[in-house]
Amino acid sequence: MKARDKYIQVFGKIETLAEPISWSTGISNMLEWLLWSTNDILGITKTQYRKKIVNWTHDEAISDCDIAEKQQFVIDKINKELLESECLSRYEKPTSSIASPREALRRAKFFSEDYLNKEFDIFWSLVSDNYLDAYYREFVPLQGGGRWFTHGNSGLFACSTNIDAMQMDNLSYNPSENILIANELKLGGKKNPDQILKYALMYRLLLERNFISPDTRFMLLFIGDKLEPALWSELIEKEIEYCLKSTKSTAKMALNPDGLKIAKNAMYATTTWSNLISFNEKYTSSLDTQLQQVEQKLLWGFNETLLAKKFMVAGGK
């Protein structure tokens, strides 16, 4: 049985993007990320971890020792590296080493883009449709009043859609508005050299597989610590040049004529996390302190986690 079929048999699947996903799925997605990306728990990859242990067991100092002594030697080595990994300064630059639980949490909470993506997934699935209407109106005209369906990057999305050609961050779909908005989240990183064309590829596959309506509009929204250069036509041409030179199969798929047409006709926008924080503060001030207390807490909580990120702190003390 294929891995995709195993996943669907155990966890189920969605048939369209217009299916509601529980906020608790966001927690499951975060656990899924950690289980596959164990370097965010161990501090180094599983391969690096195994190699370290094998190398330690072949150390000349214990070549004539019995199993128990070799085991204790490895334990001492790991404990020493765990102790040396810990940083007492919140924003000290992480090292590549086996990490203690506290250090692994510090690296994820304050530095990891993937961790922020999972926080965003949960937040975005819990805020009201009115909030998403108001936020997206900053970038595109909307009538309002429709329902938003949000999807994070996960096994559920990949296995249901059978799209493994790219990794997306978060999608917001509103059938009544006929719009799909891809939220590309950045935490200090740059746009990938083929990112726009890959999103166009994803949109094309979603259309072909009936996960979104045929007349759905498409917008790619970059949210990062700085604005992307809004020269979208030039960026698309550069991506085409990059894909023409690439030997990757996904690059060839991204050059599909229908996909290129989608990329050239899509809507694009760029904003920053600081702008999102300001929007949340403004939106919060419009809420009823008694009747909309839950959403107030949501907005405050997400602003707090953003403000704690390394890139938001001047000097990173």
Side-chain angles (χ1 to χ4, degrees), residues 17-75:
L17 294 194
E19 286 188 35
I21 300 295
S22 166
W23 66 268
S24 61
T25 303
I27 298 175
S28 174
N29 292 346
M30 180 172 283
L31 177 59
E32 180 181 41
W33 161 63
L34 289 172
L35 292 172
W36 284 103
S37 181
T38 51
N39 55 297
D40 288 290
I41 299 175
L42 299 173
I44 56 176
T45 66
K46 287 186 292 186
T47 299
Q48 291 172 322
Y49 195 80
R50 287 193 293 262
K51 286 181 177 180
K52 272 181 178 287
I53 292 175
V54 171
N55 289 338
W56 284 334
T57 59
H58 284 71
D59 193 296
E60 290 184 1
I62 55 170
S63 58
D64 297 325
C65 295
D66 59 27
I67 292 295
E69 291 172 315
K70 289 183 177 181
Q71 288 176 339
Q72 189 59 51
F73 181 83
V74 171
I75 289 171

Side-chain angles (χ1 to χ4, degrees), residues 1-11 36 155 158-159 162 164:
M1 185 181 291
K2 294 181 179 179
R4 174 175 178 257
D5 296 328
K6 290 179 182 179
Y7 185 99
I8 291 173
Q9 180 167 314
V10 175
F11 300 106
W36 284 103
C159 293
N162 199 20
D164 55 10

Side-chain angles (χ1 to χ4, degrees), residues 153-154 157-159 161-168 192 194-195 197-206 209 243 248-255:
N153 187 31
S154 65
F157 176 83
C159 293
T161 61
N162 199 20
I163 296 176
D164 55 10
M166 66 159 294
Q167 299 289 312
M168 58 81 171
N192 295 339
D194 56 357
Q195 198 151 53
L197 294 187
K198 279 191 174 181
Y199 269 106
L201 168 62
M202 178 203 68
Y203 173 81
R204 177 172 66 85
L205 294 176
L206 289 172
R209 296 168 187 177
C243 288
K248 295 180 180 178
S249 59
T250 52
K252 305 307 177 187
M253 293 174 66
L255 290 171

Side-chain angles (χ1 to χ4, degrees), residues 135-146:
Y135 183 69
Y136 286 132
R137 277 198 188 102
E138 301 276 302
F139 314 101
V140 63
L142 297 171
Q143 293 180 356

Side-chain angles (χ1 to χ4, degrees), residues 100-125:
S100 69
R102 280 186 298 272
E103 174 60 15
L105 177 61
R106 186 187 76 92
R107 295 178 189 181
K109 187 173 179 64
F110 303 121
F111 291 87
S112 172
E113 182 177 296
D114 287 327
Y115 185 85
L116 172 60
N117 288 352
K118 301 311 177 187
E119 290 180 311
F120 185 91
D121 290 345
I122 297 171
F123 172 65
W124 224 240
S125 68

Side-chain angles (χ1 to χ4, degrees), residues 213-239:
S213 300
D215 56 350
T216 299
R217 298 176 293 158
F218 179 53
M219 185 175 84
L220 176 54
L221 173 62
F222 288 91
I223 309 176
D225 52 306
K226 58 182 180 298
L227 295 174
E228 291 288 331
L231 304 172
W232 305 113
S233 296
E234 292 183 17
L235 291 175
I236 291 171
E237 291 303 319
K238 288 181 180 179
E239 291 202 7

